[in-house]
Amino acid sequence: LSKGYSALVVLVLCLFVLAFECSWEPISTDKVLDEIFTLETKLAGQTIKLVVEFLFSFIVAQSSLSMLCTLKFGIFLFFAGCNIIMTLFVYMLVPETKGVPIEETTILWKNHWFWKRIVPA
């Protein structure tokens, strides 16, 4: 890679990390998990989230260099696609919990068009 291209890659990577840390990371940690789990299951849910997050961080860290060498700038398109998929997932599959007491969030899952098939009645 040329010096200019390398600097551009580092800059875009830093911008991506900044955008992720200001948007998706706090949503997954603070907002979604705190609101979708009941008080009885919150600790288990956050523990599973932490393990999955570490696992995927390990996978991304181990594969990023080879992906960068193979895909070149396409690695950023790959991660942009991942962000689009995450956005669609949240928009379509995570119910709005604004104004709903934490004890009643189970009702949202039982009435959701997708999750009502999975959450026991």
Side-chain angles (χ1 to χ4, degrees), residues 7 20 35 51 63 85 101 113 115 117:
F20 180 81
E35 294 184 9
V51 169
S63 62
I85 291 169
W113 67 271
W115 299 113
R117 295 178 280 170

Side-chain angles (χ1 to χ4, degrees), residues 26 35 44 47 51 59 66 71 73-74 79 85 106 111-112 117:
E35 294 184 9
T47 302
V51 169
I59 291 169
S66 62
L71 300 175
F73 73 91
F79 287 118
I85 291 169
T106 307
N111 295 331
H112 190 270
R117 295 178 280 170

